[in-house]
Amino acid sequence: MTAASKEIQAQGEQLPPLEKWNPEFCGDIDMHIKRDGSWFYNGTPIGRPAMVKLFSRVLWKEEGKYFLKTPVEKVGIEVDDVPFLMIAVEQREGEQGTELVFTSKTDDVVVAGVEHPIRVEHCADTGEPSPYIAVRFGMEGLIARNVFYELVELAEEREIDGAAHLVIESQGELFSLGTLTE
């Protein structure tokens, strides 16, 4: 078992069985996750990382909305973009070849691959990329700008459907970071 696999297994053991819980919806609370990964309650930043990590472990997405979920209640929260921010990436050799191992601001560890694909959206007005990776339960993490630059450094040029793309590989899967223009 690779180091990344051990980290992910340990993380999975820390997550409660949210998919098994089906509590009643109890309404919305004034909790907000900003695009930069910071959490707010009643307009005030939650300053304790351990508290944010605890809340992130009971985060759930359903029909495009976000909730904190326990066995007995489910409350709605607001998320600007996506709930996770990926703040580090490490390239490792794993059982399926090269692996890109991402770590979030809340200590989630995710290996890019079939189960955790990377996608990049581009702003229609500015062309600025917004890269994401699937984390869990239909939720994604925004890949921080400095981490995206690291991915670009690792990328290579490949032709896809007649266009030149910058691509990265993880667990045998190719992910396009975008097309190259002349």
Side-chain angles (χ1 to χ4, degrees):
M1 182 178 284
T2 66
S5 298
K6 288 177 186 173
E7 288 176 58
I8 292 166
Q9 182 180 12
Q11 172 186 300
E13 292 167 1
Q14 294 173 3
L15 293 174
L18 296 173
E19 69 281 1
K20 295 178 181 177
W21 297 344
N22 195 20
E24 292 293 319
F25 177 65
C26 299
D28 294 328
I29 62 171
D30 188 9
M31 189 169 285
H32 181 190
I33 305 172
K34 295 202 173 203
R35 183 174 164 92
D36 67 1
S38 56
W39 288 59
F40 288 76
Y41 180 69
N42 286 333
T44 303
I46 300 174
R48 293 182 50 205
M51 187 66 72
V52 170
K53 185 174 178 176
L54 176 69
F55 286 137
S56 78
R57 297 299 184 255
V58 295
L59 193 57
W60 183 257
K61 183 178 179 184
E62 193 173 297
E63 297 177 6
K65 296 178 182 175
Y66 293 93
F67 304 91
L68 298 180
K69 187 163 108 167
T70 71
V72 295
E73 67 182 358
K74 179 171 73 172
V75 294
I77 68 168
E78 184 181 336
V79 176
D80 281 349
D81 185 13
V82 295
F84 300 102
L85 180 67
M86 309 316 278
I87 59 170
V89 65
E90 183 180 346
Q91 187 177 34
R92 300 180 184 169
E93 285 304 312
E95 295 168 2
Q96 298 175 21
T98 300
E99 295 178 336
L100 295 171
V101 182
F102 292 83
T103 303
S104 76
K105 191 173 182 178
T106 50
D107 296 330
D108 293 275
V109 178
V110 179
V111 180
V114 172
E115 293 181 24
H116 302 281
I118 296 171
R119 69 180 181 88
V120 180
E121 288 187 5
H122 290 84
C123 176
D125 295 332
T126 65
E128 180 179 353
S130 290
Y132 301 92
I133 185 168
V135 177
R136 64 172 176 269
F137 304 130
M139 296 180 288
E140 293 182 307
L142 176 66
I143 298 171
R145 184 179 303 267
N146 62 316
V147 176
F148 185 65
Y149 290 155
E150 288 181 53
L151 294 178
V152 169
E153 287 293 319
L154 295 171
E156 59 184 56
E157 185 178 330
R158 292 232 183 128
E159 188 172 317
I160 301 173
D161 297 328
H165 286 253
L166 269 182
V167 298
I168 53 172
E169 185 174 353
S170 182
Q171 293 188 332
E173 295 293 312
L174 286 180
F175 302 102
S176 175
L177 301 180
T179 57
L180 298 171
T181 56
E182 297 190 29

